[in-house]
Amino acid sequence: MVRTGTPLPVPDPLDALPGAPDTWASWLRDGAEDLITAVRTAAPDTSVWSFNGPVPPVFWLRRMLCDTAVHHYDAAATTGAPHTIADDLAADVITEAMELITAPESQAFKPELTALRGHGERLAVRPDGMTGWLITRTPEGPMWERSDADADVVLSGPVAECMLVLARRVPPARVHGDRALLRHWLDHTVF
């Protein structure tokens, strides 16, 4: 997609199987290297398809990194391996999700996001030791900013845990305020 600028057809899952399990690590590495090479060799003014309209190719590098960061947890949880993620990467996964969810174009791609419109309700994600994210639901759709301002509901904890809660991988452990508001957000932000 980065090379051509247009989306490719979604492959049949059976046709996309990476082979025997002992080849999966190299299959993943090769795919990542292929994407990196495609982004590096793209012309500077190139735009490629995304669900939110034309974007620079580097969009897909970040999108795949954030997606892989979440699925890394899935693999660890499935195999019983420990899961670790750098705080700055976990924070960027949250930021990228906020950017995607609040982009006006996202509502056309995923109409369920229109349920996130509101009348000033505020949700806060406050990771330990860093500035958090404040989401305000407006009639046009949600907006976000980096802030530790007051909110109707506050999700807090280590940034990796907050990332996993927002990705619906683990239940929220530290929530203060309107839990129904947080549940509504989580129920309508599935991508």
Side-chain angles (χ1 to χ4, degrees), residues 62-153:
R62 184 182 185 213
R63 173 82 286 275
M64 293 297 94
L65 176 63
C66 291
D67 195 53
T68 300
V70 172
H71 290 303
H72 175 252
Y73 169 80
D74 297 335
T78 300
T79 62
H83 175 260
T84 59
I85 184 171
D87 287 351
D88 60 339
L89 178 54
D92 193 49
V93 171
I94 294 171
T95 296
E96 193 237 11
M98 295 298 163
E99 290 169 357
L100 292 175
I101 291 165
T102 61
E105 301 85 2
S106 291
Q107 292 180 23
F109 173 73
K110 184 165 175 48
E112 299 85 357
L113 293 175
T114 60
L116 299 176
R117 294 175 182 168
H119 301 285
E121 303 88 349
R122 293 168 30 135
L123 300 87
V125 179
R126 289 199 193 128
D128 301 336
M130 69 174 60
T131 301
W133 294 260
L134 179 68
I135 303 154
T136 304
R137 293 176 56 186
T138 73
E140 295 78 33
M143 300 174 20
W144 72 276
E145 62 185 301
R146 292 299 295 264
S147 172
D148 289 326
D150 290 335
D152 300 301
V153 62

